[in-house]
Amino acid sequence: MKRFILIVVCSLLLVPCSFAKKEKKPQEVDSLGNPIKTGWNFGILPSVAYDADYGFQGGILTNVYYYGDGKQYPEYIHSIYFEGAYTTKHHGIFRLNYDSKYLIPRHRLTLDATYLPDAMCDFYGFNGFRSVFNNEWSFWKKDPAKMPQYEDYQSRVFYKYKRDLIRFAADIEGTIYKDFKWNAGLGVLGYIIDDCDIDMLNGKNEFDPALSRYEQKALNPNIQGLYDLYKDWGLISPDEQNGGWHPYARAGVTFDTRDKRQGPNRGIYLDAFFTYSAAFNAKYGQQAAAGYNHLQFNFTFRHYVPCYIDAKGRNRITFAYRIGTQNLIAGKSPFYMDNYLNTLFIQRVYYEGLGGGNSIRGMMANRLSAKGFAFANVEFRFRVVNFDIGHQHFYIGLNPFFDLGVVTQPYTMDEDDLRTKVAATTNIDGKPYEYNQFFSSDEKDIYRPHMTAGVGLKVGMNENFVLSADWAMPVNEKYYMQQDNSKLANFYVKMGYLF
């Protein structure tokens, strides 16, 4: 993720509260040796962040849990999650989520309503490494004597476009037999897409008449970004340029033997499901082409293996890995939905694939865009220390990890036609672009894996509320490290474990 982030987050910012009745002695303990929680509990997380493009962020996160008499702890009876955050440059997160296995007896129900306005959504082209990333085109160098040129800096939003995402989802799970379960869900994804609002992003940075050029921090509206170029070259059709509304239905099965959903210590989770998406209101009220109805298939396998259990019977080291794939089975999907990673239950804010803190950590968000892809995440989870503050149970953990992503179904692109169209396109200086500035001529680059590695810090409260901070970087050879963000900030702060 192309960001430079300052965030003030520590255990002191977690404001633990409990409305449970006074615990009686002797206390019952869970499998980790911690006293069982009862009643209502919640954690509040205020945060302060800064992003070079989005600006300062302010907001609040809170997760309210109800454990009842604690018989099912660390499982909760009800979970209500709210997040609201906004930045000075119009990037927002507004989300309300409800999760319970007890509201409907013997069924798990999850409801989610989310609005994600994004003034600068990442767009790096199609088919992973087949699309060339030029870091110098979008990275402003702090050198007042250096003027932006075609060979160097062009615009901070060269690899961006404006995208607002509205999401409503209702998912339910029931039992087939023991650990085998059925799943079904209904929802709608609404995408509103346009060019970046240059005037808003520029703010006070304007055209300098004395120098006959734009100030270096300003964005020149006359420069075409990659999104505009893809439209001109016919890689993004007019029917999908401005987004659309897509109601969907999904159904599948799961096999789940995990000891708990948040940060499990042992067990297997497997899911396989189909998602059918329709399309309407594609372009600000105009009806979408029926061709954007499509069917996708997802498969995920997760395994959690306990490696070390201490003298008190508490698991201290867990080996965890996840492998998965998403592929287009039938129909035609718009490019912006190919970056959405389908899931049976909405458990976090972003489901972008592949790249970024929620899929391939250390790689730029949406770097690998294809009709089908596969991924893997491998990590060791060390629980370094357990401690209590008041009646709340905390732990601190470290997670070294390795992530991988690869294209399985690429976009079809006519190289000869693209060479002609690229050569006919000029930059702001009137010079023609070259094909190899945008596309690799080696078709093997399509299927070359993107690999990253890093380490994470976890601060958990009551086994369910987990604050996560991950740092990662690409581990491919030098050329591909540059293509996947090795020179940029690869730091992520989010809630919960990746899987």
Side-chain angles (χ1 to χ4, degrees):
M1 181 179 294
K2 184 186 174 183
R3 292 186 176 185
F4 301 94
I5 300 177
L6 273 175
I7 188 154
V8 181
V9 173
C10 64
S11 59
L12 294 177
L13 290 177
L14 292 170
V15 182
C17 302
S18 177
F19 296 103
K21 293 181 180 180
K22 186 176 181 180
E23 298 174 350
K24 298 179 179 180
K25 302 294 184 179
Q27 287 182 300
E28 296 183 28
V29 297
D30 64 8
S31 60
L32 298 172
N34 294 323
I36 288 176
K37 300 299 300 181
T38 61
W40 291 94
N41 295 261
F42 67 90
I44 299 176
L45 173 65
S47 65
V48 178
Y50 174 76
D51 184 280
D53 283 321
Y54 295 153
F56 288 94
Q57 175 181 310
I60 190 170
L61 306 171
T62 182
N63 212 155
V64 180
Y65 298 100
Y66 179 64
Y67 295 104
D69 58 12
K71 291 181 179 179
Q72 75 297 317
Y73 184 81
E75 289 284 352
Y76 46 77
I77 296 177
H78 303 288
S79 168
I80 302 172
Y81 177 88
F82 172 78
E83 181 172 0
Y86 211 68
T87 77
T88 55
K89 292 189 177 178
H90 303 275
H91 174 75
I93 300 172
F94 303 94
R95 180 184 176 220
L96 181 63
N97 180 275
Y98 172 80
D99 182 57
S100 175
K101 290 178 63 177
Y102 298 90
L103 184 67
I104 302 176
R106 297 181 297 279
H107 292 79
R108 179 185 177 188
L109 175 68
T110 299
L111 305 174
D112 187 88
T114 302
Y115 173 50
L116 302 172
D118 191 346
M120 292 181 289
C121 181
D122 295 295
F123 179 72
Y124 299 100
F126 298 154
N127 295 341
F129 284 136
R130 189 69 189 274
S131 292
V132 175
F133 168 62
N134 301 280
N135 182 43
E136 66 276 8
W137 286 4
S138 60
F139 181 67
W140 178 69
K141 298 179 180 179
K142 297 181 179 180
D143 183 357
K146 185 176 181 61
M147 293 180 60
Q149 297 293 335
Y150 154 69
E151 293 84 7
D152 200 76
Y153 173 78
Q154 293 199 52
S155 171
R156 287 181 290 116
V157 296
F158 188 87
Y159 295 103
K160 308 284 186 181
Y161 65 92
K162 184 178 182 294
R163 187 199 71 181
D164 291 355
L165 172 59
I166 302 170
R167 178 179 67 201
F168 297 99
D171 301 291
I172 192 169
E173 178 183 80
T175 301
I176 299 174
Y177 178 74
K178 293 185 177 179
D179 297 320
F180 288 94
K181 304 179 186 299
W182 60 265
N183 300 265
L186 296 172
V188 61
L189 297 174
Y191 288 85
I192 302 172
I193 294 174
D194 206 341
D195 296 325
C196 292
D197 188 340
I198 301 300
D199 291 336
M200 180 274 295
L201 295 174
N202 274 341
K204 296 181 180 180
N205 297 300
E206 301 175 349
F207 185 81
D208 188 340
L211 298 176
S212 298
R213 65 176 176 82
Y214 282 82
E215 298 177 11
Q216 288 200 324
K217 285 189 176 181
L219 302 170
N220 188 338
N222 299 313
I223 293 178
Q224 284 188 299
L226 188 64
Y227 172 66
D228 284 326
L229 292 173
Y230 265 52
K231 291 190 294 183
D232 290 347
W233 297 337
L235 296 174
I236 296 177
S237 70
D239 290 336
E240 58 185 332
Q241 290 177 6
N242 297 104
W245 288 87
H246 301 270
Y248 67 82
R250 65 171 48 107
V253 295
T254 60
F255 174 73
D256 191 356
T257 63
R258 295 173 298 175
D259 56 346
K260 55 180 179 175
R261 288 199 298 270
Q262 183 64 260
N265 298 303
R266 64 181 69 244
I268 290 174
Y269 175 87
L270 179 151
D271 66 37
F273 61 94
F274 292 91
T275 301
Y276 176 79
S277 300
F280 62 92
N281 291 343
K283 192 174 181 179
Y284 301 113
Q286 298 179 17
Q287 188 171 358
Y292 286 112
N293 298 342
H294 61 279
L295 180 68
Q296 293 172 306
F297 173 73
N298 286 75
F299 172 82
T300 307
F301 178 81
R302 310 177 195 173
H303 193 193
Y304 306 89
V305 183
C307 298
Y308 174 69
I309 299 175
D310 65 15
K312 295 182 179 180
R314 299 177 299 185
N315 187 72
R316 303 302 292 265
I317 303 177
T318 299
F319 175 66
Y321 64 92
R322 175 181 72 164
I323 57 175
T325 186
Q326 175 172 299
N327 292 277
L328 181 66
I329 302 300
K332 180 181 179 182
S333 59
F335 82 95
Y336 49 84
M337 291 192 71
D338 294 331
N339 290 330
Y340 189 85
L341 182 60
N342 294 321
T343 182
L344 284 174
F345 291 96
I346 304 295
Q347 294 179 302
R348 58 178 185 261
V349 177
Y350 294 108
Y351 284 91
E352 304 282 11
L354 290 178
N358 292 304
S359 56
I360 309 297
R361 294 159 290 189
M363 187 168 75
M364 297 176 295
N366 299 331
R367 177 65 178 99
L368 193 159
S369 180
K371 295 297 180 182
F373 50 80
F375 58 92
N377 310 103
V378 181
E379 60 185 44
F380 279 94
R381 298 175 177 177
F382 296 89
R383 184 169 293 211
V384 179
V385 61
N386 297 282
F387 60 95
D388 288 351
I389 298 179
H391 295 292
Q392 312 302 320
H393 315 308
F394 291 84
Y395 69 85
I396 296 176
L398 288 176
N399 292 34
F401 58 81
F402 173 83
D403 296 342
L404 178 148
V406 64
V407 173
T408 59
Q409 285 181 302
Y411 286 88
T412 301
M413 297 187 288
D414 188 326
E415 182 173 335
D416 292 335
D417 180 61
L418 272 177
R419 286 184 178 275
T420 300
K421 291 179 178 178
V422 171
T425 306
T426 58
N427 61 30
I428 192 64
D429 296 326
K431 298 178 181 179
Y433 281 119
E434 298 176 9
Y435 177 83
N436 60 10
Q437 292 176 309
F438 296 92
F439 305 100
S440 167
S441 298
D442 188 353
E443 291 189 4
K444 294 180 180 179
D445 284 343
I446 296 176
Y447 302 102
R448 195 181 300 274
H450 300 249
M451 297 181 288
T452 65
V455 64
L457 173 69
K458 312 295 178 184
V459 179
M461 183 180 77
N462 298 331
E463 302 303 318
N464 288 311
F465 189 93
V466 179
L467 174 64
S468 173
D470 294 330
W471 177 88
M473 66 173 292
V475 296
N476 304 59
E477 58 187 277
K478 183 177 180 181
Y479 170 76
Y480 295 103
M481 287 176 66
Q482 294 173 353
Q483 290 296 303
D484 266 350
N485 202 20
S486 66
K487 294 184 178 180
L488 304 179
N490 306 307
F491 185 66
Y492 313 94
V493 176
K494 55 188 177 64
M495 302 303 299
Y497 287 86
L498 178 61
F499 62 96

